[in-house]
PDB file of all heavy atoms in Angstrom:
ATOM      1  N   THR A   4     -15.989  78.388 -67.924  1.00  0.00           N
ATOM      2  CA  THR A   4     -16.780  78.196 -69.152  1.00  0.00           C
ATOM      3  C   THR A   4     -16.090  77.452 -70.138  1.00  0.00           C
ATOM      4  O   THR A   4     -14.881  77.623 -70.513  1.00  0.00           O
ATOM      5  CB  THR A   4     -17.113  79.676 -69.672  1.00  0.00           C
ATOM      6  OG1 THR A   4     -17.912  80.324 -68.673  1.00  0.00           O
ATOM      7  CG2 THR A   4     -18.015  79.436 -70.899  1.00  0.00           C
ATOM      8  N   LEU A   5     -16.818  76.466 -70.713  1.00  0.00           N
ATOM      9  CA  LEU A   5     -16.276  75.583 -71.823  1.00  0.00           C
ATOM     10  C   LEU A   5     -17.161  75.756 -73.027  1.00  0.00           C
ATOM     11  O   LEU A   5     -18.352  75.536 -72.946  1.00  0.00           O
ATOM     12  CB  LEU A   5     -16.252  74.074 -71.360  1.00  0.00           C
ATOM     13  CG  LEU A   5     -15.872  73.045 -72.314  1.00  0.00           C
ATOM     14  CD1 LEU A   5     -14.471  73.200 -72.826  1.00  0.00           C
ATOM     15  CD2 LEU A   5     -16.161  71.673 -71.802  1.00  0.00           C
ATOM     16  N   VAL A   6     -16.678  76.129 -74.213  1.00  0.00           N
ATOM     17  CA  VAL A   6     -17.434  76.342 -75.380  1.00  0.00           C
ATOM     18  C   VAL A   6     -17.054  75.266 -76.397  1.00  0.00           C
ATOM     19  O   VAL A   6     -15.813  75.233 -76.765  1.00  0.00           O
ATOM     20  CB  VAL A   6     -17.288  77.771 -76.001  1.00  0.00           C
ATOM     21  CG1 VAL A   6     -17.986  77.864 -77.210  1.00  0.00           C
ATOM     22  CG2 VAL A   6     -17.734  78.866 -74.950  1.00  0.00           C
ATOM     23  N   LYS A  50     -14.789  86.099 -74.121  1.00  0.00           N
ATOM     24  CA  LYS A  50     -13.414  86.206 -74.456  1.00  0.00           C
ATOM     25  C   LYS A  50     -12.751  84.933 -73.953  1.00  0.00           C
ATOM     26  O   LYS A  50     -13.074  84.438 -72.901  1.00  0.00           O
ATOM     27  CB  LYS A  50     -12.720  87.454 -73.770  1.00  0.00           C
ATOM     28  CG  LYS A  50     -13.130  88.743 -74.373  1.00  0.00           C
ATOM     29  CD  LYS A  50     -12.475  88.929 -75.772  1.00  0.00           C
ATOM     30  CE  LYS A  50     -12.788  90.267 -76.346  1.00  0.00           C
ATOM     31  NZ  LYS A  50     -12.282  90.432 -77.730  1.00  0.00           N
ATOM     32  N   PHE A  51     -11.848  84.359 -74.643  1.00  0.00           N
ATOM     33  CA  PHE A  51     -11.185  83.033 -74.317  1.00  0.00           C
ATOM     34  C   PHE A  51      -9.877  83.251 -73.675  1.00  0.00           C
ATOM     35  O   PHE A  51      -9.111  84.147 -74.035  1.00  0.00           O
ATOM     36  CB  PHE A  51     -11.110  82.151 -75.487  1.00  0.00           C
ATOM     37  CG  PHE A  51     -12.528  81.832 -76.115  1.00  0.00           C
ATOM     38  CD1 PHE A  51     -13.059  82.496 -77.211  1.00  0.00           C
ATOM     39  CD2 PHE A  51     -13.378  80.917 -75.531  1.00  0.00           C
ATOM     40  CE1 PHE A  51     -14.270  82.293 -77.715  1.00  0.00           C
ATOM     41  CE2 PHE A  51     -14.582  80.708 -75.982  1.00  0.00           C
ATOM     42  CZ  PHE A  51     -15.117  81.288 -77.142  1.00  0.00           C
ATOM     43  N   ASP A  52      -9.469  82.305 -72.895  1.00  0.00           N
ATOM     44  CA  ASP A  52      -8.086  82.246 -72.280  1.00  0.00           C
ATOM     45  C   ASP A  52      -7.164  81.355 -73.080  1.00  0.00           C
ATOM     46  O   ASP A  52      -6.013  81.442 -73.048  1.00  0.00           O
ATOM     47  CB  ASP A  52      -8.156  81.837 -70.824  1.00  0.00           C
ATOM     48  CG  ASP A  52      -8.941  82.832 -69.996  1.00  0.00           C
ATOM     49  OD1 ASP A  52      -8.398  83.894 -69.774  1.00  0.00           O
ATOM     50  OD2 ASP A  52     -10.060  82.569 -69.557  1.00  0.00           O
ATOM     51  N   ILE A  53      -7.839  80.362 -73.699  1.00  0.00           N
ATOM     52  CA  ILE A  53      -6.982  79.330 -74.450  1.00  0.00           C
ATOM     53  C   ILE A  53      -7.938  78.642 -75.380  1.00  0.00           C
ATOM     54  O   ILE A  53      -9.203  78.542 -75.149  1.00  0.00           O
ATOM     55  CB  ILE A  53      -6.191  78.327 -73.540  1.00  0.00           C
ATOM     56  CG1 ILE A  53      -5.277  77.536 -74.267  1.00  0.00           C
ATOM     57  CG2 ILE A  53      -7.246  77.477 -72.841  1.00  0.00           C
ATOM     58  CD1 ILE A  53      -4.300  76.733 -73.405  1.00  0.00           C
ATOM     59  N   ALA A  54      -7.475  78.129 -76.446  1.00  0.00           N
ATOM     60  CA  ALA A  54      -8.313  77.321 -77.467  1.00  0.00           C
ATOM     61  C   ALA A  54      -7.651  75.997 -77.675  1.00  0.00           C
ATOM     62  O   ALA A  54      -6.389  75.819 -77.738  1.00  0.00           O
ATOM     63  CB  ALA A  54      -8.512  78.193 -78.715  1.00  0.00           C
ATOM     64  N   PHE A  55      -8.502  75.028 -78.017  1.00  0.00           N
ATOM     65  CA  PHE A  55      -8.051  73.707 -78.410  1.00  0.00           C
ATOM     66  C   PHE A  55      -8.791  73.249 -79.714  1.00  0.00           C
ATOM     67  O   PHE A  55      -9.915  73.560 -79.851  1.00  0.00           O
ATOM     68  CB  PHE A  55      -8.391  72.636 -77.291  1.00  0.00           C
ATOM     69  CG  PHE A  55      -7.618  72.840 -76.007  1.00  0.00           C
ATOM     70  CD1 PHE A  55      -8.113  73.797 -75.030  1.00  0.00           C
ATOM     71  CD2 PHE A  55      -6.455  72.075 -75.810  1.00  0.00           C
ATOM     72  CE1 PHE A  55      -7.375  73.944 -73.860  1.00  0.00           C
ATOM     73  CE2 PHE A  55      -5.777  72.318 -74.562  1.00  0.00           C
ATOM     74  CZ  PHE A  55      -6.120  73.193 -73.624  1.00  0.00           C
ATOM     75  N   THR A  56      -7.995  72.602 -80.542  1.00  0.00           N
ATOM     76  CA  THR A  56      -8.586  72.078 -81.740  1.00  0.00           C
ATOM     77  C   THR A  56      -7.944  70.716 -82.132  1.00  0.00           C
ATOM     78  O   THR A  56      -7.034  70.287 -81.471  1.00  0.00           O
ATOM     79  CB  THR A  56      -8.660  73.156 -82.849  1.00  0.00           C
ATOM     80  OG1 THR A  56      -9.328  72.707 -84.022  1.00  0.00           O
ATOM     81  CG2 THR A  56      -7.186  73.412 -83.316  1.00  0.00           C
ATOM     82  N   CYS A  66     -11.904  77.170 -85.829  1.00  0.00           N
ATOM     83  CA  CYS A  66     -11.363  77.767 -84.536  1.00  0.00           C
ATOM     84  C   CYS A  66     -10.783  79.118 -84.859  1.00  0.00           C
ATOM     85  O   CYS A  66     -11.111  80.114 -84.113  1.00  0.00           O
ATOM     86  CB  CYS A  66     -10.168  76.860 -83.975  1.00  0.00           C
ATOM     87  SG  CYS A  66      -9.587  77.415 -82.433  1.00  0.00           S
ATOM     88  N   LEU A  70     -12.029  82.847 -83.422  1.00  0.00           N
ATOM     89  CA  LEU A  70     -11.104  83.753 -82.698  1.00  0.00           C
ATOM     90  C   LEU A  70     -10.934  85.118 -83.356  1.00  0.00           C
ATOM     91  O   LEU A  70     -10.850  86.105 -82.759  1.00  0.00           O
ATOM     92  CB  LEU A  70      -9.660  83.094 -82.539  1.00  0.00           C
ATOM     93  CG  LEU A  70      -9.653  81.825 -81.655  1.00  0.00           C
ATOM     94  CD1 LEU A  70      -8.310  81.240 -81.680  1.00  0.00           C
ATOM     95  CD2 LEU A  70     -10.098  82.199 -80.233  1.00  0.00           C
ATOM     96  N   GLN A  75      -9.609  87.912 -81.112  1.00  0.00           N
ATOM     97  CA  GLN A  75      -8.468  87.243 -80.372  1.00  0.00           C
ATOM     98  C   GLN A  75      -7.684  86.280 -81.378  1.00  0.00           C
ATOM     99  O   GLN A  75      -7.347  85.201 -81.099  1.00  0.00           O
ATOM    100  CB  GLN A  75      -8.995  86.335 -79.207  1.00  0.00           C
ATOM    101  CG  GLN A  75      -9.622  87.146 -78.047  1.00  0.00           C
ATOM    102  CD  GLN A  75      -9.976  86.249 -76.943  1.00  0.00           C
ATOM    103  OE1 GLN A  75     -11.043  85.613 -76.992  1.00  0.00           O
ATOM    104  NE2 GLN A  75      -9.126  86.224 -75.908  1.00  0.00           N
ATOM    105  N   ASP A  77      -4.691  85.951 -82.237  1.00  0.00           N
ATOM    106  CA  ASP A  77      -3.393  85.437 -81.831  1.00  0.00           C
ATOM    107  C   ASP A  77      -3.475  84.636 -80.576  1.00  0.00           C
ATOM    108  O   ASP A  77      -2.396  84.309 -79.943  1.00  0.00           O
ATOM    109  CB  ASP A  77      -2.353  86.548 -81.691  1.00  0.00           C
ATOM    110  CG  ASP A  77      -2.151  87.300 -82.931  1.00  0.00           C
ATOM    111  OD1 ASP A  77      -2.239  86.629 -84.010  1.00  0.00           O
ATOM    112  OD2 ASP A  77      -1.895  88.545 -82.948  1.00  0.00           O
ATOM    113  N   LEU A  78      -4.689  84.268 -80.087  1.00  0.00           N
ATOM    114  CA  LEU A  78      -4.734  83.514 -78.818  1.00  0.00           C
ATOM    115  C   LEU A  78      -4.036  82.188 -78.949  1.00  0.00           C
ATOM    116  O   LEU A  78      -4.074  81.455 -80.029  1.00  0.00           O
ATOM    117  CB  LEU A  78      -6.236  83.265 -78.523  1.00  0.00           C
ATOM    118  CG  LEU A  78      -6.545  82.531 -77.213  1.00  0.00           C
ATOM    119  CD1 LEU A  78      -6.248  83.489 -76.045  1.00  0.00           C
ATOM    120  CD2 LEU A  78      -7.964  81.990 -77.093  1.00  0.00           C
ATOM    121  N   LYS A  79      -3.395  81.694 -77.848  1.00  0.00           N
ATOM    122  CA  LYS A  79      -2.772  80.363 -77.830  1.00  0.00           C
ATOM    123  C   LYS A  79      -3.716  79.366 -78.211  1.00  0.00           C
ATOM    124  O   LYS A  79      -4.761  79.214 -77.543  1.00  0.00           O
ATOM    125  CB  LYS A  79      -2.144  80.210 -76.458  1.00  0.00           C
ATOM    126  CG  LYS A  79      -1.424  78.873 -76.386  1.00  0.00           C
ATOM    127  CD  LYS A  79      -0.858  78.658 -74.957  1.00  0.00           C
ATOM    128  CE  LYS A  79      -0.135  77.272 -74.851  1.00  0.00           C
ATOM    129  NZ  LYS A  79       0.427  77.123 -73.507  1.00  0.00           N
ATOM    130  N   THR A  80      -3.405  78.484 -79.086  1.00  0.00           N
ATOM    131  CA  THR A  80      -4.326  77.482 -79.563  1.00  0.00           C
ATOM    132  C   THR A  80      -3.430  76.121 -79.684  1.00  0.00           C
ATOM    133  O   THR A  80      -2.373  76.084 -80.300  1.00  0.00           O
ATOM    134  CB  THR A  80      -4.832  77.820 -81.003  1.00  0.00           C
ATOM    135  OG1 THR A  80      -5.638  79.030 -80.885  1.00  0.00           O
ATOM    136  CG2 THR A  80      -5.714  76.691 -81.465  1.00  0.00           C
ATOM    137  N   ILE A  81      -3.968  75.106 -79.014  1.00  0.00           N
ATOM    138  CA  ILE A  81      -3.353  73.896 -78.970  1.00  0.00           C
ATOM    139  C   ILE A  81      -4.014  72.901 -79.893  1.00  0.00           C
ATOM    140  O   ILE A  81      -5.218  72.706 -79.812  1.00  0.00           O
ATOM    141  CB  ILE A  81      -3.339  73.268 -77.496  1.00  0.00           C
ATOM    142  CG1 ILE A  81      -2.483  74.233 -76.655  1.00  0.00           C
ATOM    143  CG2 ILE A  81      -2.699  71.907 -77.495  1.00  0.00           C
ATOM    144  CD1 ILE A  81      -2.524  73.902 -75.172  1.00  0.00           C
ATOM    145  N   ARG A  82      -3.300  72.211 -80.788  1.00  0.00           N
ATOM    146  CA  ARG A  82      -3.838  71.278 -81.753  1.00  0.00           C
ATOM    147  C   ARG A  82      -3.342  69.913 -81.324  1.00  0.00           C
ATOM    148  O   ARG A  82      -2.192  69.612 -81.065  1.00  0.00           O
ATOM    149  CB  ARG A  82      -3.322  71.596 -83.126  1.00  0.00           C
ATOM    150  CG  ARG A  82      -3.640  72.976 -83.623  1.00  0.00           C
ATOM    151  CD  ARG A  82      -2.965  73.157 -84.969  1.00  0.00           C
ATOM    152  NE  ARG A  82      -3.407  74.512 -85.455  1.00  0.00           N
ATOM    153  CZ  ARG A  82      -2.790  75.089 -86.565  1.00  0.00           C
ATOM    154  NH1 ARG A  82      -1.953  74.451 -87.276  1.00  0.00           N
ATOM    155  NH2 ARG A  82      -3.261  76.232 -87.017  1.00  0.00           N
ATOM    156  N   TYR A 138      -7.984  63.042 -72.548  1.00  0.00           N
ATOM    157  CA  TYR A 138      -7.483  64.295 -73.036  1.00  0.00           C
ATOM    158  C   TYR A 138      -8.167  65.506 -72.364  1.00  0.00           C
ATOM    159  O   TYR A 138      -7.475  66.527 -71.896  1.00  0.00           O
ATOM    160  CB  TYR A 138      -7.492  64.422 -74.552  1.00  0.00           C
ATOM    161  CG  TYR A 138      -6.784  65.699 -75.081  1.00  0.00           C
ATOM    162  CD1 TYR A 138      -5.398  65.828 -75.061  1.00  0.00           C
ATOM    163  CD2 TYR A 138      -7.590  66.803 -75.555  1.00  0.00           C
ATOM    164  CE1 TYR A 138      -4.789  67.002 -75.488  1.00  0.00           C
ATOM    165  CE2 TYR A 138      -6.956  67.918 -76.016  1.00  0.00           C
ATOM    166  CZ  TYR A 138      -5.551  68.036 -75.944  1.00  0.00           C
ATOM    167  OH  TYR A 138      -4.922  69.213 -76.416  1.00  0.00           O
ATOM    168  N   ASP A 142      -5.942  67.749 -69.992  1.00  0.00           N
ATOM    169  CA  ASP A 142      -5.464  68.883 -70.719  1.00  0.00           C
ATOM    170  C   ASP A 142      -6.386  70.052 -70.722  1.00  0.00           C
ATOM    171  O   ASP A 142      -6.028  71.289 -70.787  1.00  0.00           O
ATOM    172  CB  ASP A 142      -5.126  68.458 -72.180  1.00  0.00           C
ATOM    173  CG  ASP A 142      -3.828  67.611 -72.161  1.00  0.00           C
ATOM    174  OD1 ASP A 142      -4.034  66.275 -71.935  1.00  0.00           O
ATOM    175  OD2 ASP A 142      -2.766  68.101 -72.409  1.00  0.00           O
ATOM    176  N   LEU A 143      -7.704  69.791 -70.857  1.00  0.00           N
ATOM    177  CA  LEU A 143      -8.709  70.814 -70.960  1.00  0.00           C
ATOM    178  C   LEU A 143      -9.307  71.290 -69.661  1.00  0.00           C
ATOM    179  O   LEU A 143      -9.357  72.441 -69.249  1.00  0.00           O
ATOM    180  CB  LEU A 143      -9.763  70.457 -71.946  1.00  0.00           C
ATOM    181  CG  LEU A 143      -9.478  70.563 -73.436  1.00  0.00           C
ATOM    182  CD1 LEU A 143      -8.600  69.524 -73.902  1.00  0.00           C
ATOM    183  CD2 LEU A 143     -10.905  70.583 -74.194  1.00  0.00           C
ATOM    184  N   GLN A 144      -9.836  70.217 -68.915  1.00  0.00           N
ATOM    185  CA  GLN A 144     -10.588  70.545 -67.729  1.00  0.00           C
ATOM    186  C   GLN A 144      -9.812  71.328 -66.701  1.00  0.00           C
ATOM    187  O   GLN A 144     -10.456  72.261 -66.057  1.00  0.00           O
ATOM    188  CB  GLN A 144     -11.036  69.287 -67.100  1.00  0.00           C
ATOM    189  CG  GLN A 144     -12.060  69.486 -65.880  1.00  0.00           C
ATOM    190  CD  GLN A 144     -12.308  68.203 -65.189  1.00  0.00           C
ATOM    191  OE1 GLN A 144     -11.514  67.670 -64.422  1.00  0.00           O
ATOM    192  NE2 GLN A 144     -13.552  67.616 -65.377  1.00  0.00           N
ATOM    193  N   PRO A 145      -8.506  71.113 -66.498  1.00  0.00           N
ATOM    194  CA  PRO A 145      -7.833  72.011 -65.522  1.00  0.00           C
ATOM    195  C   PRO A 145      -7.960  73.452 -65.808  1.00  0.00           C
ATOM    196  O   PRO A 145      -7.973  74.332 -64.847  1.00  0.00           O
ATOM    197  CB  PRO A 145      -6.354  71.511 -65.535  1.00  0.00           C
ATOM    198  CG  PRO A 145      -6.483  70.073 -66.093  1.00  0.00           C
ATOM    199  CD  PRO A 145      -7.628  70.008 -67.013  1.00  0.00           C
ATOM    200  N   HIS A 146      -7.915  73.840 -67.015  1.00  0.00           N
ATOM    201  CA  HIS A 146      -8.069  75.254 -67.436  1.00  0.00           C
ATOM    202  C   HIS A 146      -9.438  75.814 -67.024  1.00  0.00           C
ATOM    203  O   HIS A 146      -9.570  76.894 -66.470  1.00  0.00           O
ATOM    204  CB  HIS A 146      -7.863  75.463 -68.914  1.00  0.00           C
ATOM    205  CG  HIS A 146      -6.390  75.316 -69.416  1.00  0.00           C
ATOM    206  ND1 HIS A 146      -5.472  76.311 -69.287  1.00  0.00           N
ATOM    207  CD2 HIS A 146      -5.832  74.222 -69.986  1.00  0.00           C
ATOM    208  CE1 HIS A 146      -4.345  75.842 -69.776  1.00  0.00           C
ATOM    209  NE2 HIS A 146      -4.522  74.597 -70.224  1.00  0.00           N
ATOM    210  N   VAL A 147     -10.450  74.968 -67.294  1.00  0.00           N
ATOM    211  CA  VAL A 147     -11.822  75.449 -66.967  1.00  0.00           C
ATOM    212  C   VAL A 147     -11.964  75.580 -65.495  1.00  0.00           C
ATOM    213  O   VAL A 147     -12.530  76.548 -64.991  1.00  0.00           O
ATOM    214  CB  VAL A 147     -12.867  74.387 -67.453  1.00  0.00           C
ATOM    215  CG1 VAL A 147     -14.302  74.857 -67.232  1.00  0.00           C
ATOM    216  CG2 VAL A 147     -12.676  74.188 -69.005  1.00  0.00           C
ATOM    217  N   ARG A 149      -9.826  76.234 -63.267  1.00  0.00           N
ATOM    218  CA  ARG A 149      -9.080  77.460 -62.815  1.00  0.00           C
ATOM    219  C   ARG A 149      -9.865  78.685 -62.991  1.00  0.00           C
ATOM    220  O   ARG A 149      -9.417  79.817 -62.709  1.00  0.00           O
ATOM    221  CB  ARG A 149      -7.730  77.562 -63.420  1.00  0.00           C
ATOM    222  CG  ARG A 149      -6.679  76.535 -62.886  1.00  0.00           C
ATOM    223  CD  ARG A 149      -5.286  76.963 -63.256  1.00  0.00           C
ATOM    224  NE  ARG A 149      -4.975  76.866 -64.657  1.00  0.00           N
ATOM    225  CZ  ARG A 149      -4.490  75.904 -65.314  1.00  0.00           C
ATOM    226  NH1 ARG A 149      -4.252  74.702 -64.591  1.00  0.00           N
ATOM    227  NH2 ARG A 149      -4.250  75.878 -66.557  1.00  0.00           N
ATOM    228  N   GLY A 150     -10.997  78.608 -63.607  1.00  0.00           N
ATOM    229  CA  GLY A 150     -11.839  79.814 -63.910  1.00  0.00           C
ATOM    230  C   GLY A 150     -11.661  80.472 -65.310  1.00  0.00           C
ATOM    231  O   GLY A 150     -12.163  81.483 -65.529  1.00  0.00           O
ATOM    232  N   GLU A 151     -10.951  79.682 -66.187  1.00  0.00           N
ATOM    233  CA  GLU A 151     -10.687  80.196 -67.456  1.00  0.00           C
ATOM    234  C   GLU A 151     -11.926  79.889 -68.462  1.00  0.00           C
ATOM    235  O   GLU A 151     -12.822  79.051 -68.082  1.00  0.00           O
ATOM    236  CB  GLU A 151      -9.399  79.579 -68.075  1.00  0.00           C
ATOM    237  CG  GLU A 151      -8.231  79.974 -67.253  1.00  0.00           C
ATOM    238  CD  GLU A 151      -6.914  79.304 -67.827  1.00  0.00           C
ATOM    239  OE1 GLU A 151      -6.912  78.777 -68.935  1.00  0.00           O
ATOM    240  OE2 GLU A 151      -5.939  79.462 -67.140  1.00  0.00           O
ATOM    241  N   THR A 152     -12.017  80.566 -69.552  1.00  0.00           N
ATOM    242  CA  THR A 152     -12.967  80.337 -70.566  1.00  0.00           C
ATOM    243  C   THR A 152     -12.263  79.677 -71.731  1.00  0.00           C
ATOM    244  O   THR A 152     -11.296  80.259 -72.335  1.00  0.00           O
ATOM    245  CB  THR A 152     -13.610  81.619 -71.040  1.00  0.00           C
ATOM    246  OG1 THR A 152     -14.250  82.270 -69.925  1.00  0.00           O
ATOM    247  CG2 THR A 152     -14.573  81.363 -72.151  1.00  0.00           C
ATOM    248  N   VAL A 153     -12.608  78.488 -72.091  1.00  0.00           N
ATOM    249  CA  VAL A 153     -11.907  77.541 -72.998  1.00  0.00           C
ATOM    250  C   VAL A 153     -12.809  77.325 -74.154  1.00  0.00           C
ATOM    251  O   VAL A 153     -13.989  76.944 -74.125  1.00  0.00           O
ATOM    252  CB  VAL A 153     -11.543  76.266 -72.281  1.00  0.00           C
ATOM    253  CG1 VAL A 153     -10.891  75.271 -73.300  1.00  0.00           C
ATOM    254  CG2 VAL A 153     -10.660  76.545 -71.091  1.00  0.00           C
ATOM    255  N   LEU A 154     -12.173  77.457 -75.367  1.00  0.00           N
ATOM    256  CA  LEU A 154     -12.844  77.069 -76.688  1.00  0.00           C
ATOM    257  C   LEU A 154     -12.324  75.784 -77.183  1.00  0.00           C
ATOM    258  O   LEU A 154     -11.097  75.554 -77.250  1.00  0.00           O
ATOM    259  CB  LEU A 154     -12.458  78.238 -77.686  1.00  0.00           C
ATOM    260  CG  LEU A 154     -12.972  77.898 -79.193  1.00  0.00           C
ATOM    261  CD1 LEU A 154     -14.426  77.839 -79.192  1.00  0.00           C
ATOM    262  CD2 LEU A 154     -12.471  79.052 -80.025  1.00  0.00           C
ATOM    263  N   VAL A 155     -13.224  74.882 -77.641  1.00  0.00           N
ATOM    264  CA  VAL A 155     -12.871  73.649 -78.267  1.00  0.00           C
ATOM    265  C   VAL A 155     -13.551  73.642 -79.676  1.00  0.00           C
ATOM    266  O   VAL A 155     -14.757  73.540 -79.638  1.00  0.00           O
ATOM    267  CB  VAL A 155     -13.231  72.371 -77.388  1.00  0.00           C
ATOM    268  CG1 VAL A 155     -12.870  71.133 -78.164  1.00  0.00           C
ATOM    269  CG2 VAL A 155     -12.575  72.503 -76.050  1.00  0.00           C
ATOM    270  N   ALA A 156     -12.819  73.670 -80.746  1.00  0.00           N
ATOM    271  CA  ALA A 156     -13.359  73.522 -82.013  1.00  0.00           C
ATOM    272  C   ALA A 156     -12.926  72.094 -82.543  1.00  0.00           C
ATOM    273  O   ALA A 156     -11.734  71.874 -82.778  1.00  0.00           O
ATOM    274  CB  ALA A 156     -12.852  74.527 -82.975  1.00  0.00           C
TER     275      ALA A 156
END
Side-chain angles (χ1 to χ4, degrees):
T4 300
L5 174 67
V6 177
K50 289 288 185 180
F51 298 101
D52 295 289
I53 191 168
F55 292 84
T56 189
C66 186
L70 294 178
Q75 293 185 281
D77 297 327
L78 185 72
K79 180 179 180 181
T80 301
I81 297 173
R82 300 172 177 177
Y138 184 73
D142 294 80
L143 278 75
Q144 189 187 75
H146 289 278
V147 182
R149 284 199 293 269
E151 296 179 10
T152 299
V153 177
L154 171 65
V155 180

